[in-house]
Amino acid sequence: MAKKKLVVLSGAGISAESGLKTFRDGDGLWENYRPEEVASPEAWAQDPGRVLRFYNERRAQVLAAVPNAAHIGLAALEAYYEVIIVTQNIDDLHERAGSKHVLHLHGEILKMKSERPSDWLQEIRGAIHLGDRAPDGAQLRPHVVWFGEAVPQMEAAIPHMETADVFILVGSSLAVYPAANLIDFVAEEVPKYLVDPAIPPISYGRNFYRIEQKATVGIPYLVELLSKA
Ligand code: NAD
């Protein structure tokens, strides 16, 4: 029998217990910066060196982090479900936990690209410096989606939302658009589990189940529940 399809939308909160900070917890800052100051085309135009330094630090942090029980639990669900992870995170902790189908809405910090539009992408584990050039001669930048930039992976994510049999939202404030709209594409009758210690106060329809817990508590609980369903 074909496995049921489990679609997960994850946000920064799932990686919080791996030591990677979210940006809407508490002070609204992302590692001491206002997100627009380091994650926007305007910030890049004004001070690319600062933007590169910010992401070089994030890259080093990601490489030092390890997946937690929530990333590992979602990967374990592949024994029972066809699992598609749609993540807003730029880290690679889902992949390192063993998840095979991960779609990064906001790019990947371990990849770099040209500041000019092109399809060229390359892995990077070290730092990007001002003056480092892509094959087209333009400055290198991290492969991340900044505020105000298009989110090309939305088109790939929507059909997964529409065909989910089970849905999990974990660790997202649902404050970043268009990613937050994805939840609206999940059919009404589909069971939807929300895992977050502070579930965002938006209006939910039928079949929503709130698990107001940290990801490392809520996801292992769900793994127990869903592996027996
Ligand atoms: P957000 O920072 O807006 O919201 C984080 C959510 O996680 C909140 O609802 C909070 O209550 C919840 N949370 C905090 N600790 C948690 C825990 N231990 N377990 C479960 N949930 C927890 O995050 P967002 O909605 O993903 O938007 C942030 C944007 O910033 C994303 O677009 C992402 O690209 C970027 N970002 C990425 C990373 C990363 O890659 N790890 C880290 C910070 C920011």
Side-chain angles (χ1 to χ4, degrees):
M1 209 173 71
K3 288 178 181 169
K4 283 189 175 175
K5 181 164 178 172
L6 169 66
V7 179
V8 179
L9 178 59
S10 72
I14 194 171
S15 297
E17 291 165 87
S18 291
L20 304 178
K21 285 198 184 147
T22 65
F23 63 62
R24 274 178 194 73
D25 280 336
D27 54 10
L29 297 182
W30 190 10
E31 302 280 358
N32 301 323
Y33 291 91
R34 280 188 301 118
E36 314 76 60
E37 239 170 53
V38 285
S40 68
E42 293 76 22
W44 179 249
Q46 262 171 29
D47 192 345
R50 175 166 70 171
V51 173
L52 288 175
R53 275 195 303 282
F54 174 78
Y55 284 100
N56 287 342
E57 285 167 17
R58 304 285 73 72
R59 189 177 304 106
Q61 257 179 359
V62 164
L63 288 169
V66 290
N68 64 45
H71 302 103
I72 293 166
L74 291 176
L77 280 171
E78 292 192 11
Y80 310 95
Y81 294 85
E82 177 197 353
V83 180
I84 307 288
I85 312 256
V86 178
T87 188
Q88 297 172 77
N89 296 343
I90 57 176
D91 65 56
D92 68 339
L93 297 181
H94 282 300
E95 285 91 340
R96 276 195 268 149
S99 284
K100 301 227 171 37
H101 307 286
V102 186
L103 210 146
H104 287 270
L105 291 171
H106 296 159
E108 296 170 72
I109 187 70
L110 298 180
K111 292 187 180 158
M112 59 183 176
K113 63 184 182 184
S114 168
E115 70 170 340
R116 275 196 216 123
S118 86
D119 292 335
W120 182 85
L121 270 185
Q122 192 163 294
E123 297 210 349
I124 168 118
R125 302 179 82 78
I128 306 176
H129 301 105
L130 263 189
D132 291 349
R133 312 251 154 230
D136 63 2
Q139 172 66 43
L140 287 171
R141 60 163 275 188
H143 174 49
V144 296
V145 174
W146 289 327
F147 288 100
E149 290 191 312
V151 184
Q153 294 289 359
M154 279 293 284
E155 277 175 39
I158 289 170
H160 289 305
M161 298 291 152
E162 290 171 333
T163 52
D165 296 306
V166 184
F167 175 76
I168 299 175
L169 173 74
V170 52
S172 172
S173 65
L174 290 183
V176 177
Y177 286 84
N181 291 127
L182 282 173
I183 195 165
D184 298 332
F185 289 90
V186 183
E188 197 180 350
E189 65 275 14
V190 168
K192 301 170 196 76
Y193 299 94
L194 310 176
V195 180
D196 197 306
I199 291 180
I202 60 165
S203 62
Y204 297 104
R206 286 193 304 120
N207 295 319
F208 277 92
Y209 303 94
R210 299 160 63 97
I211 302 171
E212 205 132 25
Q213 298 279 0
K214 288 182 169 183
T216 59
V217 176
I219 295 292
Y221 163 80
L222 261 184
V223 172
E224 270 292 296
L225 190 82
L226 294 175
S227 59
K228 295 190 182 116

